[in-house]
Amino acid sequence: MVYFGVIALATIAASAGPISHLNLRTHGWTTFLVLAGMASVAQLFEVKTIRDQSYHTSIVFLVAAAILLPPELVALTAVVLHIPEWLKQRYAWYLQTFNICNYTLNALAAWGVAHLIIGPQGFTHHEARFALAGLAACFVLVLMNHVVLAVMLYLGRGHRPKETGLFAPAQLGTELVLAALGVGLASAWHLNPWLVPFALAPLLLIHRSLHVPRLEEQARVDSKTGLFNARHFANVLQDELSRAARFERPASLIMADLDLLREINNTYGHLAGDAVLASIAQVFKDQLRHYDVPARFGGEEFAILLPETPRDQALEIAERIRRAVASCPIDLDTASEPVNVTISMGVASFPNDGVDANELVHHADLAVYRAKLQGRNRVLPASEEPLLMRTTRAPRLVSLPAEDLSTPTVYATPTGRIAQPEPVVAPIAQERRQSARPAAQGPWFGSIPLRVGVLVGFVSVLGIAAGAAGLVFGSSRDLFGLLTLTGIVGIGQALALEVDQATISAGAVGALAGAALFGPRAALPIALAMAVVDWSAKRSPLHHVAFNVGALSLSSLAAAGMFSAGLNRYSEVFTLLMAVGAGAIYYLTNMALLSFAVALEGRERWLAVWHERFRWLLPHYIGYGVVAGVMAIAYHAAGLYALAVAVVPLLLMRKTQAAYLQHTQRSALKLREAAETIHSQNVSLEKANRLLRERSTAAMESLSATVDARDSYTAGHSRRVQRLALAIGQEIGLSQPELDLLGHAALFHDIGKLAIPDSILLKPARLDAAEWGLMKRHSDEGARIIDRLGFLEDAVPSIRHHHERFDGTGYPDHLRGDEIPLGARIIHVADALDSMLTTRTYRPALTAADALAELRDATGSQFCPRCVAALERILPDEEVEAAGLELLVAS
């Protein structure tokens, strides 16, 4: 607050004198109204950044006001531009007051230094002095703004200047570029106020590019916990392991998994789960060293990189974190009392447990699984012991086929040098393009398809011939300007960004500007410059270069025809309309030719190719046309200086595109590496899971045999029921997976008898009510046993309900009719038939015919009619009597 008071007093002292002279006769009211109005609108469209900062393109108008207006109107501009923002956002009074004071001080300081250099004579006859004054105003305004803001952020929010990034070269450079555009705006206003709307066109592109820093921060930090996210963590982990290998230093990785987060979400709500995650993240920050790197890996999973840390020390740190988490009460809005949670952790160290990031993550992850299986809330080191128990954890990364990440082969990129990669959702078209096709042979066409070769030759010859005619018969005589623009286009193409087999650059702006400024004469030189520079970088085949030259020439000639209707003939507004049309016709010409080439090569529909890959570029080319029109108008007014001013926003576009593409390509590379690792891990885990199933199934079969062995009268009962049930299932028409599940359920249907005492299970007489109550529990106990096995959970309902009766009088849940699972109904019939055919201590065995008769009599009351009918179809009476039941079932 003391600092706030100092800034407020300094603002009053600096602005009181100038404002006291303000009256209706003050020079520059019209300029003030225009600049303040545009600044107020621009202030509404702020771009939020990290650490309580924001970008405003209103700085452009503030710099222009500092150069063009007297100090009293400069101070008033800084106040007025905040009024619409306050009405929209309703910031706290002290925040808005500080912002107004900060802007006012900055603007007045910029005005002072600018007019100190310009002097009382103004800048009419001193262009160099004006440029120097504008440069000084930019630096003073930007640096003073950052210094004042940095002090306030430190005193009020605790953010150190290094943390805020206010003095990072990227942020200072962005602010200075915006301020430099304000100088260009002031120059345009001085030359011709009607040029101002055109000079503002690049601000639309710049405003979009200003979102990049926040997107970069969002790409690094998890919003719920404030920790780094998995993508950024992967980059840091790779860099740290490279450093550790280079200097032979240790490093460790902790993988952590919050225990039972699903129960917290189900009990207290998902917002409570988010609060728990945030609390765990805070524990990490409190317990870790300042150079450790914690990250949220996804869901309830965390990862912690410990540089310069051997395994023993990493285990100590992990144990300290585990104890801190377990002892930390967490207050939840939906809970009456604080809750406590636990965390399971696994530790892997470099180089003992792995020499790359994927190996370390894999081994630490397996250690977490073991900690979970051993009871949770513990820390375990990585181990070479194979993990046999299946886990339910979802894959961390989505594995994409390598071919889905590729880029199509094209014979020319769009004139703006922007080409969109093949969508990963349409690999069929790519396979068609890669299929064998007849090709024209020879040094010109090489191995390209004949139909594509014809198109390439036609476009190349026509485009080059038309461009040569435009060069010879064009009316422009400004050879120096044409050469300058061609050089700028060539340099811009040399700075093009590579995206797999395509490039991104702002060459279309130069081509359109050439069409506007120099007419048909610019088409061939600019097309050659772009194609040759592109060839020198990539050494593309000659037919690619020829197609590019032809397509670019034809597109530029079409745009020149459109521009010729507006330039030097009508008003600037009409020229702007022609510029929009020129951008559109340039786009249509180039995209049509390119779409035809790609469609012919891939045997696809031309319209589908255009719609899928190039339709999205139309707004970009319309914007390029507007920028080119503004450059043409400014060039006629200011000469080559206009081209220099126009290059500034294009360089900023290139910078932001480079940052974005670098981030995207790094992510794609990580994705490919992770996909390969996940694939290899999946293979090993699948082998372990298969071994687990085999061993677990064998163990359960042994237990099932043990149940049968307890009673000599029921020996082999489970196997016979399994064969009968499978025969009925096949007759009903079950699929193979359903039959496999039915076979397991039938084999283990009586495994719950392990919990029944021998005195009841082997009793030679009928059971009394209490004993029968205990016996009926065996189906429920069997379901619990199989459910704990894990991979046979789908068989549990059939085991639990195999004693339900069709009329609803069975047990344990009195289900009836189709409410009973089909597998349970099948097992019930098979179990009853085998029991009636087996001698028991309390009754003799029935004949096969009598057993089938009893099944028929109980159909609809005890047994499912559908299952009994299927059994009768596979066991006719006469065959039962002749061959015996078991032989028929086996056959």
Side-chain angles (χ1 to χ4, degrees), residues 823-876:
R825 284 180 269 155
I826 294 173
I827 295 172
H828 190 191
V829 172
D831 183 32
L833 179 60
D834 185 75
S835 297
M836 287 188 285
L837 294 173
T838 304
T839 299
R840 300 297 174 96
T841 57
Y842 51 85
R843 61 155 177 79
L846 300 180
T847 64
D850 292 339
L852 288 173
E854 287 210 17
L855 287 175
R856 293 191 196 100
D857 293 340
T859 297
S861 58
Q862 181 177 356
F863 302 113
C864 170
R866 182 184 177 192
C867 298
V868 174
L871 179 64
E872 289 186 296
R873 289 195 297 272
I874 62 176
L875 297 174

Side-chain angles (χ1 to χ4, degrees), residues 432 587-588 591-600 603-616:
R432 289 202 304 267
Y587 162 84
L588 291 174
M591 294 307 108
L593 294 173
L594 180 57
S595 299
F596 270 124
V598 175
L600 286 176
R603 297 180 182 272
E604 302 177 61
R605 294 175 54 201
W606 170 82
L607 190 60
V609 172
W610 171 80
H611 188 275
E612 178 182 304
R613 305 180 197 178
F614 307 125
R615 181 173 64 92
W616 65 281

Side-chain angles (χ1 to χ4, degrees), residues 310-341:
R311 170 184 282 196
D312 293 343
Q313 187 178 354
L315 288 171
E316 293 178 2
I317 295 174
E319 181 63 24
R320 183 174 72 239
I321 294 174
R322 185 198 64 79
R323 290 195 302 266
V325 169
S327 61
C328 175
I330 301 174
D331 293 320
L332 302 177
D333 294 338
T334 54
S336 57
E337 296 180 355
V339 300
N340 288 88
V341 298

Side-chain angles (χ1 to χ4, degrees), residues 74 85 136 173 246 259 321 446 449 461 485 504 526 592 614 768 790 812 824 827 830 888:
V74 172
E85 180 189 40
R246 189 163 58 252
D259 297 328
I321 294 174
V461 173
L485 183 61
I504 294 179
I526 290 180
F614 307 125
D768 59 29
I827 295 172
L888 280 173

Side-chain angles (χ1 to χ4, degrees), residues 114 117-134 187 190 641:
I117 296 174
I118 293 175
Q121 70 275 19
F123 55 83
T124 303
H125 302 292
H126 300 279
E127 290 81 359
R129 181 177 295 178
F130 168 74
L132 181 60
S187 177
H190 176 69
Y641 289 105

